[in-house]
Amino acid sequence: MFDKILIANRGEIALRVLRACKELGIATVAVHSTADADAMHVRLADESVCIGPPPAKDSYLNVPALLTACEITGADAVHPGYGFLSENARFAEILGEHDVHFIGPRPEHIHLMGDKIEAKRTAVRLGIPVVPGSDGGITSDEDAIRIAREIGFPILVKAAAGGGGRGMKVAQSEEQLSSALTAARTEAKAAFGDDAVYLEKYLTTPRHIEIQVLGDGKGNAIHLGERDCSLQRRHQKVWEESPSPALNAGARDAIGETVAKAMRELRYLGVGTVEFLFEDGRFYFIEMNTRIQVEHPVTEMITDIDLVLEQIRVASGGELPLTQQDVRFHGHAIECRVNAENPVSFRASPGKIVHYHPPGGLGVRVDSAVYQGYTMPPYYDSLLGKLIVHGKTRGECLMRLRRALDEFVVDGIETTLPLFRALVRDEDVIDGNYHIHWLEQFLAGGGMDQ
Ligand code: ADP
């Protein structure tokens, strides 16, 4: 096992990793920008190192500063959290060259899944169903038109290096295809420095359902069920739940086993998520994330498995402590991502939290790093915290969530809590009757105007 872990992240995920380290008896090093000197993860870690000024590129993405911090504190492993350097294969490699363990998959798997065209090819090879689309990158408009005719409109142009919903454009017809290609390429080049794009059939009313996996890199891998993340805004998840209201046990076992088998074949190491769109009873692979995800607590609540703790164990060379038969799903869990944003315009609302009272009680978990008097800096993403609620049934879970949301007080800045209070009382949401465009339709239809 590791002796000392440096947590190369901030906010609630840094705290989440810290908690797992404490339980395992591993010493912790927090790193922070000058803007985060008062942050909770810095206060609770055994040691802390300032790694640069506020902009992420000079601090949380500053590889030389992170290496120096490992060197001076004697950390033997780095946990990257999510975002920042968590899916940077080169960072994992550089750490290896300096005899520091990266808590995540092997660099070649990060690299493979980071290129969505390669990831899709790998999925096909491993027997995972994919969205119909171009075989590889698109090189000319003529090529694009020919392939689009074969697949049929609407078509989605996607960036090979994509992430966070960027570099994605829909074309409803041949006339729109060339401008969609140009727009996606420009956006991809600006965001990722890579303008490679590919085509996919645009599914009109799918759900987003993803499978959580855990592997030990020795050929053992299990799945931990699914999360339904269909409630999205601008392709970003807002509400996640497990089990999905759209799946039964048979469908879950079938897709879960397909994915677990593929991970065994890859000898995948660590936690990962294989993401699908689900329409008319069929799954279509879209991408794999090779890191811990924001929404992982939903899975923890219904399996009682600490994903971060297991991630650290397998990274240190441990074997999977569980077989698929040991995994038991119980009850229902829902997570709301509470952001410091206006709940209607979604404009960021950084600033001082003058009053803070998180909800509690049976089945209620809040993963957050804020506190009363804390000032949310404007430099990073606006996630204020995650409210995760568990119940024996989906009905009980919704009942508790309604109560917990009403109890949650954050004063001084705007938050998306009013959005969740509206969602949890909406009939479609109560019935589990939604797809990936539902939330944008709800907002456009004035769902938040009362
Ligand atoms: P990113 O890495 O940018 O998050 P993903 O491939 O994971 O991109 O897709 C993000 C979201 O975009 C999905 O959850 C879904 O809402 C939408 N999306 C992606 N591919 C398709 C598709 N072929 N048809 C319809 N929607 C899609």
Side-chain angles (χ1 to χ4, degrees):
M1 186 44 83
F2 306 122
D3 293 320
K4 195 186 269 192
I5 292 179
L6 182 142
I7 303 163
N9 216 300
R10 64 182 300 282
E12 69 85 22
I13 192 64
L15 208 54
R16 172 69 190 86
V17 174
L18 211 135
R19 288 179 172 141
C21 293
K22 296 227 170 196
E23 289 182 17
L24 287 166
I26 301 171
T28 51
V29 180
V31 293
H32 64 91
S33 70
T34 51
D36 279 341
D38 292 331
M40 210 57 186
H41 74 281
V42 178
R43 296 183 184 197
L44 293 181
D46 298 314
E47 290 171 79
S48 65
V49 181
C50 180
I51 47 165
K57 69 171 178 27
D58 301 321
S59 50
Y60 298 101
L61 295 171
N62 183 344
V63 174
L66 287 163
L67 282 174
T68 310
C70 288
E71 181 77 30
I72 58 179
T73 57
D76 54 347
V78 169
H79 195 300
Y82 52 67
F84 295 132
L85 295 164
S86 61
E87 288 177 301
N88 187 317
R90 186 64 198 125
F91 178 58
E93 251 167 33
I94 292 172
L95 287 178
E97 287 159 14
H98 289 79
D99 289 329
V100 177
H101 291 267
F102 175 76
I103 301 178
R106 283 188 281 274
E108 70 259 30
H109 286 157
I110 304 176
H111 187 73
L112 182 69
M113 295 303 172
D115 180 332
K116 293 187 164 196
I117 294 174
E118 279 309 313
K120 239 179 129 172
R121 283 199 185 121
T122 307
V124 172
R125 179 168 63 75
L126 296 171
I128 295 176
V130 302
V131 189
S134 59
D135 217 9
I138 290 296
T139 45
S140 69
D141 279 21
E142 293 71 45
D143 242 18
I145 289 179
R146 183 179 50 75
I147 296 165
R149 278 186 190 148
E150 280 169 26
I151 309 169
F153 284 90
I155 287 282
L156 186 62
V157 184
K158 293 175 84 170
R166 280 167 304 176
M168 234 187 267
K169 298 287 166 207
V170 186
Q172 298 291 346
S173 61
E174 270 181 42
E175 293 69 53
Q176 290 178 3
L177 188 57
S178 137
S179 60
L181 279 166
T182 312
R185 279 203 179 104
T186 311
E187 204 173 299
K189 183 83 190 164
F192 316 110
D194 175 0
D195 68 356
V197 295
Y198 63 106
L199 302 186
E200 241 171 34
K201 174 142 194 70
Y202 182 68
L203 302 176
T204 49
T205 53
R207 301 178 80 107
H208 173 118
I209 298 181
E210 56 188 35
I211 306 292
Q212 174 71 54
V213 293
L214 173 66
D216 63 7
K218 300 174 171 69
N220 303 308
I222 55 173
H223 76 86
L224 298 168
E226 81 281 14
R227 292 183 289 259
D228 193 319
C229 313
S230 302
L231 289 176
Q232 304 182 348
R233 208 191 119 257
R234 296 208 185 129
H235 303 303
Q236 296 195 20
K237 300 160 190 167
V238 168
W239 158 306
E240 300 100 350
E241 61 180 291
S242 187
S244 166
L247 287 196
N248 57 32
R252 169 175 316 109
D253 289 350
I255 191 69
E257 185 43 35
T258 300
V259 170
K261 183 169 162 281
M263 294 304 120
R264 288 195 282 272
E265 219 166 301
L266 274 183
R267 305 180 80 79
Y268 186 76
L269 170 65
V271 294
T273 302
V274 179
E275 299 193 332
F276 293 93
L277 295 177
F278 179 76
E279 195 171 62
D280 298 329
R282 292 170 70 171
F283 282 96
Y284 302 94
F285 170 88
I286 47 173
E287 70 163 340
M288 176 168 185
N289 290 315
T290 53
R291 55 173 162 81
I292 192 79
Q293 283 192 287
V294 177
E295 60 271 26
H296 76 274
V298 160
T299 301
E300 294 183 328
M301 300 300 273
I302 65 154
T303 58
D304 276 334
I305 294 170
D306 184 325
L307 281 169
V308 177
L309 192 142
E310 297 305 342
Q311 182 188 24
I312 295 171
R313 270 201 191 136
V314 293
S316 73
E319 276 195 15
L320 267 199
L322 305 151
T323 64
Q324 194 64 56
Q325 286 68 39
D326 298 325
V327 180
R328 292 268 175 274
F329 301 104
H330 58 90
H332 197 97
I334 296 176
E335 172 180 282
C336 299
R337 296 194 192 193
V338 182
N339 282 343
E341 288 171 358
N342 176 285
V344 177
S345 69
F346 297 96
R347 206 183 37 248
S349 173
K352 185 167 175 175
I353 298 173
V354 295
H355 191 75
Y356 181 69
H357 178 80
L362 184 60
V364 176
R365 164 175 173 184
V366 177
D367 277 20
S368 173
V370 310
Y371 51 88
Q372 189 156 310
Y374 175 73
T375 299
M376 293 269 304
Y379 312 104
Y380 313 107
D381 79 36
S382 52
L383 184 66
L384 182 147
K386 309 180 301 202
L387 169 61
I388 309 108
V389 173
H390 182 264
K392 283 192 290 299
T393 58
R394 189 166 186 270
E396 187 177 81
C397 187
L398 286 168
M399 182 181 85
R400 280 192 183 142
L401 180 57
R402 226 168 278 138
R403 186 271 293 168
L405 284 164
D406 289 348
E407 218 175 287
F408 209 150
V409 179
V410 184
D411 283 342
I413 55 172
E414 291 182 297
T415 76
T416 50
L417 281 167
L419 168 67
F420 293 113
R421 291 187 187 121
L423 289 180
V424 80
R425 290 174 172 84
D426 183 275
E427 251 175 65
D428 281 343
V429 174
I430 291 170
D431 294 343
N433 185 17
Y434 53 76
H435 52 75
I436 61 169
H437 304 299
W438 185 94
L439 181 56
E440 287 189 343
Q441 289 165 4
F442 170 83
L443 294 166
M448 288 300 291
D449 293 350
Q450 310 79 348

